[in-house]
Amino acid sequence: MPALLAGHPALELCNTWAGWDEPTDPRGEWLPDFDHLAVWAGHAGLLDPAIVPRLRAAGREQNLAADEVLAEVRSLRAALHDVLLDPADGAAFALVATQAQRAAGLAVLEANPDGVARWVPPPGIGPALPLLAVATAAADLLTSTARTQVRACPGEGCGWLFLDPRGRRRWCTMAVCGNRAKVRTYASRR
């Protein structure tokens, strides 16, 4: 699973593709199948980890529906990435909005022990559950002030998105992209 470093689950979805400047390179795909999508949704905190084994089993039993959900999640991921980098992209926004409205129409208000309720995807919806969860997260980001704090990593072959609330962060992670850039700069000076 990719490291969770973006600061918001919707951005973590975008970061399941490595190398946005090379959109056809299959080596960049962190969600090669529905099983990986289900595990990632639990890993990213979008779904309760206790649901993940049942969701994986549902994906195996309903493999055609699971494959369709995976394709929709990938389309949503690409559209969300485009909208976050270019808010004027009407076609991408329309796709995100459609999925978000579908998720909102099915959402259930859930009470939490801390007293703050939240909207969650309905239980028992089967393989569509990860799609509804990521669409809800996308809507949450697009309707919050955090949307203006989204930055793209300039690292070569990266393009991962992250929140930069202080305006100081440049890299998705200094340990990888930042270090590679420093090494390249040092080598070019030599």
Side-chain angles (χ1 to χ4, degrees):
M1 294 287 105
L4 301 177
L5 50 80
H8 193 281
L11 298 177
E12 301 298 355
L13 172 66
C14 292
N15 295 348
T16 60
W17 178 260
W20 281 99
D21 55 346
E22 299 172 26
T24 59
D25 186 352
R27 294 174 296 168
E29 183 62 75
W30 284 93
L31 303 176
D33 54 38
F34 182 83
D35 198 56
H36 280 80
L37 172 62
V39 171
W40 172 83
H43 171 70
L46 288 168
L47 298 177
D48 182 346
I51 294 173
V52 171
R54 286 180 291 173
L55 185 58
R56 293 173 74 189
R60 286 188 295 275
E61 292 168 8
Q62 303 171 39
N63 61 346
L64 292 177
D67 289 345
E68 188 175 305
V69 166
L70 178 64
E72 288 184 77
V73 167
R74 287 177 177 169
S75 294
L76 176 62
R77 174 182 65 188
L80 179 61
H81 186 270
D82 291 350
V83 165
L84 290 169
L85 295 183
D86 180 11
D89 188 336
F93 182 83
L95 192 151
V96 174
T98 298
Q99 291 292 359
Q101 289 167 355
R102 176 179 171 218
L106 295 171
V108 175
L109 191 61
E110 177 182 87
N112 284 325
D114 63 4
V116 178
R118 65 185 180 135
W119 289 103
V120 297
I125 195 110
L129 194 55
L131 176 60
L132 299 174
V134 297
T136 300
D140 175 64
L141 178 60
L142 290 174
T143 58
S144 74
T145 57
R147 191 264 167 269
T148 62
Q149 302 165 354
V150 175
R151 305 288 179 268
C153 180
E156 188 175 311
C158 184
W160 276 14
L161 303 179
F162 54 88
L163 291 180
D164 182 19
R166 294 187 185 137
R168 296 183 193 161
R169 187 173 170 188
R170 181 167 180 199
W171 310 101
C172 62
T173 175
M174 189 62 197
V176 179
C177 288
N179 190 46
R180 286 181 189 157
K182 283 184 171 186
V183 168
R184 274 193 300 278
T185 301
Y186 178 78
S188 69
R189 279 188 273 163
R190 291 261 186 220

